[in-house]
Amino acid sequence: MRKRFGFDFYRNMRIRNKLSLLIALIVALSFSATLLVQQYAFSIYDSQIYTKSSQVLNLSSSAIEAELKRIRQISYNVTADGQVQSLLKKIANPETSNYDRLLLRRDLVDRLLSYTGTEPYLLSIQLYDSLGHENAAGNIKALSDAKVADLLSRSDQAEGEQVLLYPDESDSALVTARKVRSYEGTDFSLKRLGMLVIRINIERIVRENAPAEGELLIRSGSDIVYPVHPAFADVGLSEEDSRYGSGYFVGSFGGERYFVSHIESGNSGWMYFNLTPFNQIFERIIFIKELVVFVFVGLLIVVIAWGFRFSRSMTRPIDDLIARMRLAERGNFEEANLLSIDTASVPRDEVGLLHRSFRIMIERINTLITENFKSRLLVKETEFRALQAQINPHFLYNTLESINWMAKMNRQPQISQMVEALGFLLRNSISLGDPLIPLREELGLVESYVTIQKYRFEERLEFETDIPEALMGRTIPKLTLQPLLENAVNYAVEPSMTPCRIVIRARESASEGLLLTVEDSGPGMDPRMLERLRSGEARGQGRGIGLLNIDERIRIAFGEAYGVRVESESGGGTRVTLALPAEDARA
């Protein structure tokens, strides 16, 4: 039903509106296609950026981890160095004098210098012997007692594996510590001889191995490894938002957007983030996007201007022809034929042919009117009315039965149901039987009407009944509920785009009598409209049975104490109540 309504609406539109709609549709499709292509191009470009960033970031992280791995091997070599092992054992020997320990520690520092002098990334090597004395070489920076105690505790638990201390406010170096155990020669007691602490210049490693573009951030879980003071730590790089693994996202910081690619190291488990200003990457894409929008807007203006011009050139001759037809409709055939037009502006296409054919037709009609058209028209009208009078209800019922039979033969149950419902509704509406019928029969009329309207409004019409079986035999005036339901459909269901609920209820009490209520969830009526409806000043849009008619028939049948009551409010639906006697009127 909706599709048919939409088709009829489009078919009955003016040609100018049809052309405008067609142009708008073409522009909308062009814009959609442009947007899809643009988004597809952006997605490909984003994928290429991500792939390239991931490759660069992967190479950088691999280079950084290779240097750290090499330094880790150096720390292992120091702890396994035979000379270092021997010196630490002699220092730990209780029989060694303080002077000898001083000489031994000097030799130990010389040995450590041989490692720091050849490694550019080592800031210092600090070796704490079993007596807690610090033996250091390189760019020495003393560790706080708390850090030393923490490293001692963690290195003891690590059993010879290295532990890390990340850069902080007091020291920008990456600190690695390892427990020194005794395993020189035949001594494999793994007795603790001391602790080796190496300070690594992580900033230099990153600077020499990180990508030139963007900023690098290294995290280990929730701890920041590099840099010590990241200016972009709140760009959305929390442990939950980073989406561990390889990927990318766009974050914001300080009013500027960043393109962030991240990758997880398979060796250390660290997360490497590379942040590049979004505009720096997508500057050309943004320019192309703006250019496309500008070109599209320009084309849109040109197409609309051309469309209006084309529409005007097409519809101007048609408008002139319509003006002639309206004159002819009012009977001014001579004026319609003599209406001055610019013959040069009439094209030699279908519209021009219509103009010429219409002028010939007007001339012939004018001739007929002059001679005997009026008399013949009167005869035809009389014959037409006579033919109409011959069409009786039996012919209509037989026609409906034929349509019903053909619908069933063609397996069209919906058409069959609608025809049956219409036939039932017409038979009961036209029949001249008893004016008072049982409530059950009136509901049959209502059900037939609802069946037809259900095919029209589909899910927009929700119909329910709440009537006790004991009241089904009560008699009411014929055609009272069906017109009320028709009014509810016209004024509640038809103007609403959302589903509308109509309920018919019945209840009986000793004080109020039998009350039949038709309620709807439609837009309702404002107080002034409701007052005019109650007073009879407002008239419905239809030509059926109105509320005043129903009210008068109830009062005539049962007395002035009964009738119709209307309750409604704007936005709150409408409720129409029929007040009938408590006792059966036929009893």
Side-chain angles (χ1 to χ4, degrees):
M1 194 71 178
R2 291 181 178 178
K3 292 181 178 179
R4 180 64 183 176
F5 174 76
F7 175 75
D8 291 340
F9 178 77
Y10 174 79
R11 187 179 61 180
N12 297 327
M13 288 176 61
R14 294 174 62 88
I15 296 179
R16 180 181 301 176
N17 296 333
K18 288 182 179 180
L19 290 176
S20 301
L21 182 62
L22 178 62
I23 293 171
L25 180 62
I26 293 175
V27 172
L29 292 176
S30 300
F31 176 76
S32 301
T34 303
L35 183 62
L36 289 175
V37 172
Q38 187 182 61
Q39 292 300 322
Y40 179 71
F42 286 165
S43 64
I44 294 178
Y45 188 77
D46 290 346
S47 177
Q48 292 177 350
I49 288 292
Y50 161 64
T51 303
K52 181 179 179 181
S53 300
S54 298
Q55 292 174 352
V56 174
L57 190 60
N58 190 25
L59 293 175
S60 302
S61 62
S62 299
I64 294 173
E65 300 247 345
E67 293 297 333
L68 295 176
K69 184 177 181 180
R70 190 173 59 82
I71 295 175
R72 178 183 177 184
Q73 183 62 38
I74 292 175
S75 67
Y76 177 77
N77 294 338
V78 173
T79 58
D81 190 302
Q83 184 177 351
V84 173
Q85 288 270 328
S86 176
L87 292 173
L88 289 176
K89 287 179 181 179
K90 291 178 182 180
I91 293 174
N93 191 344
E95 297 180 359
T96 304
S97 64
N98 291 333
Y99 177 75
D100 291 336
R101 284 195 179 98
L102 179 62
L103 297 177
L104 292 171
R105 286 169 178 157
R106 186 182 61 184
D107 293 340
L108 183 59
V109 171
D110 292 339
R111 184 58 180 167
L112 296 178
L113 284 172
S114 64
Y115 287 98
T116 59
T118 59
E119 293 298 330
Y121 299 134
L122 294 185
L123 292 175
S124 65
I125 299 180
Q126 296 160 264
L127 183 58
Y128 294 85
D129 55 32
S130 59
L131 300 180
H133 186 272
E134 179 185 20
N135 305 278
N139 186 10
I140 304 170
K141 186 170 185 178
L143 301 176
S144 64
D145 295 338
K147 289 184 177 181
V148 173
D150 178 58
L151 291 175
L152 284 172
S153 174
R154 290 166 57 195
S155 63
D156 286 340
Q157 296 176 3
E159 294 295 334
E161 293 295 328
Q162 73 170 2
V163 295
L164 297 175
L165 188 64
Y166 301 122
D168 56 14
E169 299 283 347
S170 59
D171 191 359
S172 61
L174 176 65
V175 179
T176 174
R178 186 191 296 272
K179 178 181 178 182
V180 182
R181 298 185 293 181
S182 175
Y183 50 84
E184 180 190 12
T186 59
D187 184 8
F188 290 97
S189 62
L190 302 180
K191 181 178 64 174
R192 185 178 184 279
L193 298 178
M195 179 181 66
L196 175 67
V197 177
I198 298 178
R199 294 175 59 250
I200 305 170
N201 191 346
I202 185 66
E203 184 175 356
R204 183 174 179 180
I205 295 177
V206 171
R207 186 172 62 251
E208 295 181 1
N209 295 279
E213 297 181 356
E215 300 288 343
L216 183 68
L217 176 68
I218 305 176
R219 304 187 76 129
S220 177
S222 59
D223 298 323
I224 296 178
V225 179
Y226 176 85
V228 179
H229 302 289
F232 39 78
D234 58 345
V235 185
L237 306 182
S238 64
E239 186 175 354
E240 295 79 7
D241 295 337
S242 60
R243 303 180 185 90
Y244 278 70
S246 299
Y248 71 95
F249 61 93
V250 178
S252 299
F253 171 71
E256 186 175 359
R257 302 173 69 194
Y258 287 86
F259 179 81
V260 184
S261 59
H262 55 88
I263 190 171
E264 182 180 9
S265 171
N267 296 325
S268 64
W270 289 357
M271 288 294 299
Y272 289 80
F273 298 88
N274 187 27
L275 293 86
T276 306
F278 188 84
N279 291 336
Q280 179 179 341
I281 299 178
F282 295 94
E283 183 177 359
R284 292 185 178 180
I285 291 296
I286 294 174
F287 171 75
I288 294 175
K289 181 179 179 181
E290 293 176 351
L291 180 61
V292 169
V293 172
F294 177 78
V295 172
F296 180 77
V297 170
L299 291 176
L300 177 63
I301 295 174
V302 172
V303 170
I304 291 177
W306 173 83
F308 279 123
R309 183 179 179 86
F310 177 76
S311 174
R312 183 179 179 183
S313 64
M314 286 289 295
T315 58
R316 185 170 55 186
I318 298 177
D319 291 338
D320 180 74
L321 182 59
I322 291 174
R324 288 171 169 270
M325 289 182 175
R326 288 176 178 173
L327 291 173
E329 183 181 2
R330 292 194 295 266
N332 299 331
F333 295 101
E334 294 183 0
E335 188 177 353
N337 190 31
L338 299 176
L339 182 65
S340 61
I341 60 169
D342 186 4
T343 56
S345 63
V346 178
R348 296 183 178 273
D349 54 6
E350 290 83 353
V351 178
L353 180 60
L354 283 176
H355 271 275
R356 289 187 288 272
S357 300
F358 181 76
R359 295 190 65 177
I360 295 173
M361 182 186 68
I362 290 297
E363 291 176 357
R364 291 180 178 178
I365 291 176
N366 194 28
T367 302
L368 290 174
I369 290 177
T370 304
E371 295 176 353
N372 58 3
F373 180 74
K374 290 184 179 180
S375 59
R376 291 190 179 185
L377 183 61
L378 181 59
V379 173
K380 292 293 183 181
E381 184 177 357
T382 304
E383 293 176 355
F384 178 73
R385 291 183 181 275
L387 290 175
Q388 280 186 324
Q390 296 176 7
I391 301 177
N392 54 50
H394 295 288
F395 173 76
L396 180 61
Y397 299 151
N398 292 335
T399 302
L400 290 176
E401 286 296 329
S402 299
I403 296 174
N404 184 22
W405 178 80
M406 293 182 66
K408 289 182 178 180
M409 290 294 294
N410 289 276
R411 298 181 180 179
Q412 296 291 333
Q414 294 181 346
I415 298 177
S416 175
Q417 292 176 8
M418 290 183 68
V419 170
E420 289 178 353
L422 179 59
F424 180 81
L425 192 62
L426 291 175
R427 287 179 189 272
N428 288 272
S429 300
I430 299 175
S431 66
L432 301 176
D434 194 340
L436 296 177
I437 63 174
L439 178 58
R440 181 179 290 104
E441 293 184 14
E442 181 70 10
L443 289 177
L445 294 175
V446 169
E447 292 291 342
S448 297
Y449 178 77
V450 170
T451 299
I452 297 173
Q453 296 300 334
K454 275 284 189 179
Y455 288 105
R456 177 186 178 190
F457 295 102
E458 299 179 345
E459 72 274 31
R460 287 172 54 193
L461 174 58
E462 298 177 0
F463 175 72
E464 296 178 15
T465 58
D466 183 13
I467 301 176
E469 183 63 27
L471 300 178
M472 287 295 187
R474 295 296 301 275
T475 57
I476 64 173
K478 186 178 180 180
L479 291 178
T480 53
L481 290 179
Q482 188 272 334
L484 297 181
L485 185 66
E486 184 175 354
N487 288 338
V489 169
N490 291 337
Y491 296 101
V493 179
E494 189 167 0
S496 300
M497 298 305 296
T498 57
C500 183
R501 185 167 174 260
I502 302 177
V503 183
I504 298 180
R505 293 188 172 91
R507 64 183 179 88
E508 186 178 27
S509 64
S511 59
E512 296 181 300
L514 175 62
L515 299 179
L516 297 176
T517 304
V518 178
E519 298 180 4
D520 65 72
S521 60
M525 295 179 285
D526 57 50
R528 291 186 298 177
M529 182 61 186
L530 182 60
E531 187 62 28
R532 293 179 58 198
L533 185 64
R534 288 172 176 170
S535 63
E537 297 178 6
R539 295 184 177 270
Q541 298 176 358
R543 298 182 180 178
I545 300 175
L547 293 178
L548 291 179
N549 182 287
I550 298 173
D551 185 71
E552 290 175 2
R553 289 193 291 125
I554 293 176
R555 292 178 187 273
I556 292 173
F558 303 112
E560 293 296 325
Y562 307 99
V564 180
R565 307 170 190 170
V566 182
E567 301 172 57
S568 180
E569 60 182 79
S570 182
T574 303
R575 180 168 58 254
V576 180
T577 303
L578 303 180
L580 302 173
E583 298 297 333
D584 195 333
R586 285 187 165 184

